[in-house]
Amino acid sequence: MEGKSYQRLPRVKIREMRDDYMKFELRDTDASVANALRRVMIAEVPTVAIDLVEIEINSSVLNDEFIAHRLGLIPLTSDRAMSMRFSRDCDACDGDGQCEFCSVEFHLRAKCHSDQTLDVTSKDLLSSDHTVVPVDFSDSAGMESSEQKGIIIVKLRRGQELRLRAIARKGIGKDHAKWSPAATVTFMYEPDIRINEELMDMLTLDEKKAWVESSPTKVFDFDPKTEKVGCFLRLYFFLMDVII
């Protein structure tokens, strides 16, 4: 280990992980490595997003370009992202990005037949591949997933209709924000606190307890067995909110 830069030997400890959220500690390194990880998460992780939209019928209040833009920003599950080819590198479709190796086809057909406004959502997008579908966000109120309405694309009134075909392709956030897998990636420092043991040993037990209680953030602890004051904090931790 001697002679090696500590920046090249970071340690990672996962503190919390869910399907769309992760919190972990990054130790024995500096901010440059932490920021490099943050930028890679945002710009280099491949995902799948709608890249081409062919609209057959659109009699809604939104124009074709606006709807195409909204479709591109709908997050899709990207379990196939690593195995898919980039459309620019695909030799099966001559690079036009419309084959089973580099794309997934979606269809949407919706028409309002009543006086009640019809919400056209991401759940109305029918995928040709069950592994690439719009992300189904859980409801904070505890609503059943079957009752979720999805992300609203457009609202239709009586007689209005929307019919389109969309092609989803593999990409990275560096090419366009719609391929960015992370909603937010942030990091923050945790202070590295070192206690002067010589001065601490000069205090009485009551003074040590009073000193521990004086901390407004409760970062210190007193061990009655060893009569020592300890600290819980480390270098810093990393937070990310990710959809893949």
Side-chain angles (χ1 to χ4, degrees), residues 29-32 34 187-192 234-238:
T29 186
D30 57 15
S32 64
F187 70 91
M188 63 180 293
Y189 287 98
E190 281 191 356
D192 185 11
R234 297 295 185 268
L235 177 59
Y236 53 79
F237 61 89
F238 221 84

Side-chain angles (χ1 to χ4, degrees), residues 113-124:
H113 298 282
S114 65
D115 293 331
Q116 186 176 1
T117 301
L118 175 65
D119 293 339
V120 181
T121 71
S122 56
K123 286 188 173 292
D124 296 314

Side-chain angles (χ1 to χ4, degrees), residues 33-43 185-187 238:
V33 175
N35 190 52
L37 287 175
R38 183 186 68 84
R39 294 176 69 89
V40 167
M41 292 174 192
I42 294 175
V185 182
T186 60
F187 70 91
F238 221 84

Side-chain angles (χ1 to χ4, degrees), residues 102-157:
C102 66
S103 65
V104 177
E105 187 171 323
F106 288 85
H107 289 275
L108 190 153
R109 294 179 176 86
K111 185 174 182 179
C112 182
H113 298 282
S114 65
D115 293 331
Q116 186 176 1
T117 301
L118 175 65
D119 293 339
V120 181
T121 71
S122 56
K123 286 188 173 292
D124 296 314
L125 284 170
L126 303 180
S127 173
S128 62
D129 188 340
H130 69 278
T131 63
V132 181
V133 295
V135 173
D136 186 11
F137 294 99
S138 59
D139 187 78
S140 59
M143 189 183 297
E144 295 293 335
S145 59
S146 61
E147 299 177 1
Q148 293 294 310
K149 296 182 178 180
I151 301 171
I152 294 180
I153 300 171
V154 67
K155 294 185 178 184
L156 302 179
R157 297 292 290 175

